[in-house]
Amino acid sequence: GDQVEQSPSALSLHEGTGSALRCNFTTTMRAVQWFQQNSRGSLINLFYLASGTKENGRLKSTFNSKESYSTLHIRDAQLEDSGTYFCAAGTGGNNKLTFGQGTVLSVIP
Amino acid sequence: DAGVTQTPRHEVAEKGQTIILKCEPVSGHNDLFWYRQTKIQGLELLSYFRSKSLMEDGGAFKDRFKAEMLNSSFSTLKIQPTEPKDSAVYLCASSPRTGNTEVFFGKGTRLTVV
């Protein structure tokens, strides 16, 4: 079955507002990555977390391995934040990633 | 600092043809992965190499898909023969070492099989 459940599947934000994306894991994950896929299809690395919280500009991510979830918070959304966001996580001692189904984010003026 | 390089960026093949996709991982990286992305299935792992050794060849993708890593700086993914359902974006990725480390992706090859 699916190991990574990502929500919401789609999200619209007005410029300047914020929201959170979430991934729930059905099995114990050792680390999580968040990516933004832009209009050209490139997967851009946003965060890598083995635990705890990281922040980068208007983005913040948390990984709680005990409770099996990770979140990505976006604040003060800008038009260039539009794209598809993926979480991906690994279970074992290798870097094979299982991906969520993605969140399509549309930032509107 | 070169990232993961994939060629070609776009490929159009006729059904039944053989195509070869190429990937150069980040220099010095130990692990290499091939993924396939479709709208319906999302991102799926095809193959995984550790130090050039094939660790996983993606089960359901075995029969017509063959990934090889002839040296630490070059990998190929051969699809033979191609079918229309193979139309997808094929992504190559690498990571510095085995274990929990960050994975970096190339820009992908968009394959269309007609």
Side-chain angles (χ1 to χ4, degrees):
Chain A
D2 290 332
Q3 297 180 344
V4 182
E5 300 164 350
Q6 186 171 345
S7 63
S9 57
L11 179 64
S12 285
L13 290 177
H14 284 283
E15 270 187 296
T17 64
S19 189
L21 285 56
R22 184 175 173 112
C23 282
N24 291 325
F25 310 116
T26 56
T27 189
T28 301
M29 299 296 188
R30 296 255 181 121
V32 66
Q33 283 191 243
W34 284 91
F35 299 91
Q36 180 196 24
Q37 189 165 42
N38 62 21
S39 57
R40 286 171 291 179
S42 297
L43 279 170
I44 299 163
N45 288 39
L46 298 176
F47 292 104
Y48 169 84
L49 298 105
S51 65
T53 298
K54 287 187 179 178
E55 196 162 351
N56 184 5
R58 297 177 291 101
L59 300 177
K60 181 170 75 173
S61 182
T62 295
F63 175 42
N64 187 323
S65 56
K66 282 186 183 174
E67 296 186 22
S68 296
Y69 74 89
S70 178
T71 56
L72 176 69
H73 289 259
I74 302 172
R75 63 176 175 84
D76 187 23
Q78 303 297 305
L79 295 176
E80 62 263 29
D81 295 333
S82 294
T84 304
Y85 290 77
F86 291 96
C87 67
T91 56
N94 56 52
N95 298 318
K96 292 191 301 180
L97 294 174
T98 301
F99 280 79
Q101 286 299 308
T103 296
V104 179
L105 173 64
S106 301
V107 180
I108 47 183
Chain B
D1 211 17
V4 178
T5 304
Q6 290 188 247
T7 54
R9 293 294 316 278
H10 302 272
E11 178 83 52
V12 179
E14 288 189 359
K15 179 183 170 182
Q17 265 187 289
T18 296
I19 62 104
I20 297 176
L21 308 181
K22 303 179 183 75
C23 174
E24 295 175 59
V26 176
S27 179
H29 277 197
N30 191 62
D31 289 2
L32 184 139
F33 308 86
W34 284 98
Y35 287 85
R36 184 173 85 164
Q37 184 176 23
T38 60
K39 279 193 162 52
I40 294 174
Q41 298 294 332
L43 283 130
E44 305 170 281
L45 180 70
L46 298 175
S47 297
Y48 160 45
F49 292 87
R50 178 191 300 175
S51 300
K52 301 184 293 179
S53 297
L54 183 62
M55 305 302 291
E56 186 163 327
D57 64 358
F61 297 97
K62 268 185 194 175
D63 57 345
R64 296 178 298 105
F65 290 70
K66 183 173 183 180
E68 290 185 311
M69 196 161 185
L70 302 179
N71 60 58
S72 60
S73 58
F74 185 69
S75 176
T76 57
L77 176 66
K78 181 193 289 187
I79 308 176
Q80 177 183 37
T82 52
E83 297 182 6
K85 65 181 179 181
D86 300 332
S87 297
V89 175
Y90 290 82
L91 291 156
C92 180
S94 68
S95 62
R97 61 186 182 277
T98 302
N100 297 317
T101 60
E102 196 169 358
V103 179
F104 298 87
F105 281 79
K107 295 184 193 299
T109 296
R110 180 174 296 278
L111 172 66
T112 304
V113 182
V114 298

